[in-house]
Amino acid sequence: MPFVQDIRSFIRESSRPVAERLHLHILPDYSDIMVISALFFFTLHHTISPVISRILFPVSYGKANKKTRNNWDAHVVSLVHAALIVALSLRCLNIPTLSSDRVFGFHNGSTFVSAIACGYFIWDATEAIVHYTEFGFVLHGIACFLVFILGSRPFAHYHAVRFLLWEVSTIFLDIHWFLDKTGKTGSVIQLINGVALLGTFASVRLIWGGIISYDFWKTLHSVFNQLPLFYVVVYGSGNVMLNLLNWFWFTKMIAALRKRFSSNGNANGNDIHRKSNGDMEHKQF
C-alpha cells in the first residue's frame, strides 16, 4: 500500500536528524517498526483486549471494577509481548554477524526485535505514568526503553536478544494472575503453573541470566575505551540492578507460593503479585 509506505518513509526520515545527533546510527532503519509496535500495544490494551475479554470472560472481566479490568488488559499486553519477543529472540541466537562481533554487531533480525521491545517499553512507561502507583515502575519502563534504543548505536545486540529470553518466566507469571482472576486460585493447574514459573524464572533469569551477564561484563570491559561513559554507566548499573532484583523476587515468589499452597491457603489470591514484585499489579518482572 503506497500510503502506508509513505508514512513509514516519513517516520524514518523524520527520525534521521535526531538519530545522527545522538549517534544512533541504525535507528532510522527501524524507527517505523518501533512506532508501529507502540501503536499495536496501545491498541491491544485499550481496544482489542477489552472487546475479546468481555466475550470470552463475561463474568471475570465483564463484572470486574475499572481498575481490575485495566490490570487485566495490561496483563494481556504483557503476555502477548512476552510470547512474541521470546519467539523473535530465539530466531536471533545463531546469527553469525552477532556472534562474530558481540559488541557492535547487528542484523536485521536483532534490530527488528529491538524495535518491538522499544515500542513495548514506550507503552510500559506511559502506562506506569498514567496509572501511577510508584516511581519505580515509571523508572523501570523508561530505563528499559533507553537500554534498547541506545542499542541502535549499534551496541550489544548479541546480548540483548539473549537477555530478552528472561521474558519466558513472564508468560507463566501472567498466566498465574489470570488463574487468580478466573477463580482458579489454589487449583492443581495453578500449582503446575507455579512450578513452571519458579523453574523458568530460576533457569532463564538466575542461571542463564548470570552466565550471559558474566559474558556481557567481559565484553564490556574489553571495549571500555571505545564507548561513551554514559553507555558504561547505563548498561553496567542496569545489569547489576536487574540481576539483584531477580534474586530478590525469586525469594519472594517462593515464599508466596509456599503460603499459597499451605494448609491455610490464601484468601485473596494476590500474594504472589504483591510480594514477588512489589504490588506490581500490571507489571512484568
Side-chain angles (χ1 to χ4, degrees):
M1 297 175 63
F3 177 69
V4 174
Q5 290 300 321
D6 288 343
I7 294 177
R8 294 183 65 178
S9 297
F10 173 77
I11 294 172
R12 290 187 177 195
E13 291 305 314
S14 298
S15 67
R16 197 172 302 279
V18 176
E20 291 177 353
R21 191 175 301 115
L22 298 176
H23 304 288
L24 303 177
H25 305 297
I26 64 173
L27 176 60
D29 296 335
Y30 67 88
S31 56
D32 55 326
I33 302 299
M34 181 177 67
V35 172
I36 292 171
S37 171
L39 290 175
F40 168 73
F41 288 119
F42 277 110
T43 303
L44 179 61
H45 183 182
H46 297 289
T47 303
I48 300 175
S49 176
V51 171
I52 294 178
S53 298
R54 284 183 185 276
I55 295 173
L56 297 180
F57 303 96
V59 177
S60 299
Y61 182 88
K63 295 185 178 181
N65 58 42
K66 184 177 180 180
K67 179 181 178 181
T68 300
R69 290 198 305 271
N70 181 73
N71 288 338
W72 179 298
D73 296 329
H75 272 282
V76 169
V77 176
S78 172
L79 181 59
V80 170
H81 167 261
L84 177 63
I85 212 70
V86 166
L88 292 174
S89 297
L90 285 171
R91 297 178 60 185
C92 298
L93 295 183
N94 297 313
I95 295 176
T97 54
L98 300 184
S99 300
S100 61
D101 185 352
R102 298 187 178 189
V103 184
F104 303 114
F106 67 99
H107 180 271
N108 287 339
S110 62
T111 57
F112 184 78
V113 170
S114 295
I116 298 297
C118 282
Y120 172 77
F121 286 115
I122 290 173
W123 167 83
D124 183 68
T126 304
E127 171 68 9
I129 293 170
V130 173
H131 296 96
Y132 182 86
T133 53
E134 56 181 88
F135 181 68
F137 298 163
V138 179
L139 185 62
H140 170 268
I142 294 174
C144 289
F145 171 73
L146 283 175
V147 165
F148 283 99
I149 200 167
L150 287 175
S152 59
R153 185 177 182 88
F155 177 68
H157 280 219
Y158 173 87
H159 293 96
V161 297
R162 285 161 172 76
F163 280 123
L164 282 170
L165 294 181
W166 285 6
E167 294 303 293
V168 171
S169 63
T170 300
I171 296 172
F172 296 101
L173 174 66
D174 288 327
I175 291 174
H176 184 97
W177 191 91
F178 285 119
L179 289 172
D180 274 341
K181 300 306 178 183
T182 54
K184 300 296 191 297
T185 300
S187 64
V188 174
I189 189 172
Q190 192 177 58
L191 174 61
I192 295 172
N193 183 78
V195 172
L197 171 57
L198 288 177
T200 55
F201 196 97
S203 59
V204 300
R205 288 183 180 261
L206 304 185
I207 300 174
W208 168 261
I211 293 171
I212 296 301
S213 293
Y214 176 72
D215 185 77
F216 173 74
W217 273 101
K218 287 199 306 179
T219 305
L220 187 65
H221 181 265
S222 68
V223 295
F224 180 83
N225 294 328
Q226 300 177 48
L227 292 171
L229 180 60
F230 178 70
Y231 270 70
V232 176
V233 172
V234 169
Y235 282 89
S237 61
N239 181 262
V240 171
M241 179 187 70
L242 290 174
N243 275 284
L244 289 175
L245 283 174
N246 281 340
W247 281 99
F248 172 76
W249 285 328
F250 187 65
T251 60
K252 293 296 184 181
M253 289 166 63
I254 292 175
L257 283 170
R258 185 176 296 167
K259 180 179 180 182
R260 171 67 56 85
F261 295 101
S262 66
S263 58
N264 293 330
N266 186 320
N268 60 23
N270 282 326
D271 275 9
I272 192 166
H273 303 286
R274 279 202 309 271
K275 294 184 178 180
S276 65
N277 55 15
D279 200 21
M280 202 176 275
E281 275 290 321
H282 66 272
K283 291 286 183 182
Q284 63 190 26
F285 284 115

